[in-house]
Amino acid sequence: MSIEDPNHPAIAVIGSGFSGIGVAISLVRAGFTAVTVYERAGDIGGVWRDNTYPGAACDAPSHLYSYSFAPNPAWSRRFAPQPEILDYLRRCADEYGITEHVRTRTEIVAATFDEHRYRWELTLSSGEIAYADVLISACGQLSRPSYPRLPGTADFAGTAFHSACWDHDFDPAGRDIAVIGNGASAIQFVPHLVEKAHSVTVFQRQPHWISPKPDGEYGPLRRRANKWLPLLQKIPRLAVFCWFEGILNPMLISRRGRRILAAPIRLWCRWNLRRITDPELRRTLLPGYELGCNRILTSNDYYTALDRETTRVVTDPIATVRPTGITTEDGRQFDVDAIVYATGFRSHDFVAPMRVTGLAGENLDTVWKSGARAYLGLTVPGFPNFFLMYGPNTNVGSGSIVHMLESQMKYIVGAVEEISRVRYLDVRPDVLERFDSETRQRLAGTVWNTGGCHSWYVADTAAGPVNTNNWPGSMLGYRRRTRRFDADNYRTVPRPAEPAHNRRT
């Protein structure tokens, strides 16, 4: 299909996680069936396909971390484990007819807008060329693992892998294991490693606020009730949403909210720290920055795992990796035969490694050299008919990203409906400037910018540190901003007038 058939523009979606599958479903349900989802891996799922480490699970309650139009009565727990989330995505793709639109093992390495034909030219890694009238990047912020730049990593003689690329042939039994990093993934898999390993050494750059995890199992009776009484799913979804919107988000984005709301949550996290019996270790694990500067983590067994005799926490920076272990800057040597990198993702590379070229040969990487910016996190001037899912400044420090994604899906469907009437849409530069100025001003007072931590939300750019990831408001606020497509904020190139003899009378 082509935009020459305006009712069926060809739409390319890059990525098949919650973003890609969700926007594809929304477009098909709206009648736009010429959708192709390009996935470089062999299966759909995004981060829930890739992150298969022991204990992998969502840190947002399952009833909220799911599409509102596709509730799942079969969740086994309040916080669903990775296999169930991946099965849920596959099931949604099947039930809504998206699986047949997916091209797996197909990577887009470059996308160039053809100004004469008003379409995107897509270069695949195989050398094949494909075309699309609308291009949607659904790569996400957490798709490319980040590795620390440490001298000697190539010389390490043991087993080494990133938590997002878990080596399932690796047996931790009797091994001396180094875990570099102590974030959201580490707190889930470290308790599993310590059960079998001879020793586990966690290299910690900074501690995190970790609250108890209010998890629980849903038995067969509750799952049957969820199926026959949908209200039993809607009530917990609403309750969790209100908790995030009414308590946690105001604490993160408002100085006044921090003064009023942070104290009880901080006490809750410190109460969780009681699981550590060693007073010195407890001090090592107590953050010195404000609550919420990094995402508040949840775990019931991480501290217990660190309190074992076979586990140690090292806070001195790593100087080098040796063939048989790690040396820290204070000269201590730690002999290990396996290294697990729990160092997160390259969260500021929103479309990398794909090269995106817009009008006048403008490269998106060049445009973003001082930090990624997009109007509503969705569109960038000079890149017509190009949309981002989970783009700059649309992450939530507390809550469910799926709610934000659904807002973006609705907006993009409205944009595609408008594209059916014009050649292309290009957001005006002044609109982005106003939006970005407002966003930076609002972010300036948030705990992410002022809380004193080292956060993955903030990028080191040519212009200095910039928070390119977080939305400086509530999920409801973002929903209001995206509830309808605002065509007045876009420059349009109209379609040529139809010859009189072709017009319908």
Side-chain angles (χ1 to χ4, degrees):
M1 294 290 183
S2 166
I3 207 165
E4 295 305 321
D5 181 0
N7 293 321
H8 297 87
I11 305 169
V13 179
I14 302 174
S16 66
F18 264 97
S19 300
I21 297 301
V23 74
I25 291 173
S26 298
L27 289 164
V28 170
R29 292 176 76 189
F32 299 104
T33 57
V35 177
T36 303
V37 179
Y38 294 92
E39 172 53 58
R40 64 185 177 185
D43 192 8
I44 69 169
V47 295
W48 296 109
R49 176 198 61 239
D50 296 338
N51 287 265
T52 59
Y53 56 81
C58 189
D59 65 353
S62 310
H63 289 304
L64 185 59
Y65 195 85
S66 51
Y67 301 126
S68 63
F69 55 82
N72 178 23
W75 295 123
S76 67
R77 307 190 66 83
R78 184 173 290 122
F79 293 83
Q82 173 267 336
E84 289 187 29
I85 299 174
L86 181 57
D87 287 345
Y88 170 79
L89 270 176
R90 288 170 174 162
R91 189 165 62 254
C92 287
D94 286 341
E95 290 179 357
Y96 287 92
I98 301 304
T99 303
E100 62 194 56
H101 292 264
V102 180
R103 288 186 60 179
T104 57
R105 305 189 188 283
T106 307
E107 181 178 7
I108 306 297
V109 296
T112 303
F113 188 73
D114 186 331
E115 300 183 40
H116 304 291
R117 298 182 178 180
Y118 310 104
R119 66 183 184 183
W120 285 93
E121 180 180 289
L122 311 177
T123 304
L124 281 58
S125 58
S126 64
E128 178 187 347
I129 301 297
Y131 299 95
D133 303 306
V134 179
L135 177 61
I136 302 171
S137 173
C139 303
Q141 299 181 12
L142 307 175
S143 60
R144 299 184 67 205
S146 175
Y147 291 85
R149 296 179 180 177
L150 297 173
T153 53
D155 300 325
F156 182 64
T159 303
F161 53 87
H162 195 282
S163 62
C165 309
W166 196 268
D167 182 356
H168 289 280
D169 292 330
F170 171 69
D171 184 1
R175 308 288 288 272
D176 294 306
I177 305 170
V179 176
I180 300 178
N182 62 308
S185 59
I187 70 167
Q188 292 183 337
F189 70 73
V190 165
H192 292 266
L193 289 183
V194 301
E195 291 296 329
K196 296 182 178 181
H198 177 262
S199 71
V200 175
T201 304
V202 177
F203 291 85
Q204 171 182 285
R205 180 168 59 173
Q206 64 179 352
H208 293 278
W209 291 102
I210 304 175
S211 76
K213 189 172 187 176
D215 200 4
E217 185 176 355
Y218 293 134
L221 181 61
R222 172 60 187 273
R223 293 199 293 272
R224 285 197 295 271
N226 284 341
K227 182 178 181 179
W228 297 111
L229 297 172
L231 192 63
L232 288 180
Q233 293 180 81
K234 293 181 179 180
I235 291 175
R237 182 182 177 96
L238 178 62
V240 172
F241 182 84
C242 292
W243 162 256
F244 286 134
E245 288 289 89
I247 303 296
L248 292 187
N249 275 338
M251 183 192 74
L252 300 174
I253 64 180
S254 162
R255 294 182 186 274
R256 181 181 180 184
R258 283 146 70 180
R259 289 195 300 269
I260 297 173
L261 302 171
I265 301 175
R266 188 165 49 244
L267 287 173
W268 194 31
C269 294
R270 296 191 71 153
W271 179 80
N272 196 32
L273 193 55
R274 82 196 189 286
R275 303 173 191 268
I276 301 294
T277 57
D278 179 8
E280 183 61 33
L281 179 57
R282 198 181 301 133
R283 283 190 290 270
T284 298
L285 297 172
L286 182 65
Y289 55 83
E290 287 193 58
L291 181 77
C293 184
N294 275 307
R295 188 175 178 94
I296 302 171
L297 306 180
T298 61
S299 175
N300 295 329
D301 54 7
Y302 180 62
Y303 285 146
T304 304
L306 296 186
D307 201 43
R308 300 168 69 127
E309 292 183 358
T310 57
T311 311
R312 54 190 167 184
V313 178
V314 177
T315 58
D316 289 302
I318 296 173
T320 185
V321 177
R322 299 176 288 105
T324 58
I326 292 173
T327 302
T328 53
E329 290 184 358
D330 62 353
R332 286 188 295 167
Q333 294 189 357
F334 299 88
D335 291 332
V336 298
D337 48 32
I339 297 176
V340 181
Y341 295 100
T343 45
F345 299 87
R346 298 177 61 173
S347 58
H348 310 295
D349 298 340
F350 291 92
V351 298
M354 179 176 66
R355 300 186 308 277
V356 181
T357 306
L359 297 175
E362 194 75 77
N363 185 279
L364 188 59
D365 288 338
T366 303
V367 171
W368 281 352
K369 65 182 179 181
S370 296
R373 306 188 309 159
Y375 173 58
L376 294 173
L378 286 160
T379 55
V380 183
F383 296 84
N385 293 1
F386 174 59
F387 302 91
L388 295 142
M389 292 287 294
Y390 200 6
N393 295 114
T394 60
N395 183 61
V396 285
S398 169
S400 170
I401 190 59
V402 180
H403 186 276
M404 300 290 281
L405 298 178
E406 289 197 29
S407 299
Q408 295 165 19
M409 295 171 202
K410 180 177 176 61
Y411 188 90
I412 289 174
V413 168
V416 174
E417 290 173 347
E418 185 69 22
I419 290 169
S420 299
R421 295 186 283 270
V422 299
R423 285 289 194 185
Y424 69 67
L425 297 168
D426 184 23
V427 67
R428 302 200 322 261
D430 61 299
V431 172
L432 173 60
E433 289 301 325
R434 285 197 302 271
F435 172 78
D436 190 63
S437 176
E438 173 200 348
T439 300
R440 301 294 153 225
Q441 184 176 4
R442 294 174 66 188
L443 281 168
T446 64
V447 69
W448 309 309
N449 284 34
T450 62
C453 69
H454 184 282
S455 169
W456 65 267
Y457 305 142
V458 179
D460 292 323
T461 72
V466 179
N467 189 332
T468 60
N469 288 73
N470 281 12
W471 171 246
S474 66
M475 292 184 285
L476 277 177
Y478 188 77
R479 178 63 57 93
R480 286 193 295 269
R481 296 285 291 266
T482 55
R483 70 183 184 276
R484 65 176 182 85
F485 176 73
D486 45 354
D488 292 341
N489 289 329
Y490 288 78
R491 183 174 67 90
T492 63
V493 174
R495 295 181 57 79
E498 188 177 358
H501 64 271
N502 285 342
R503 294 176 189 155
R504 298 178 65 182
T505 59

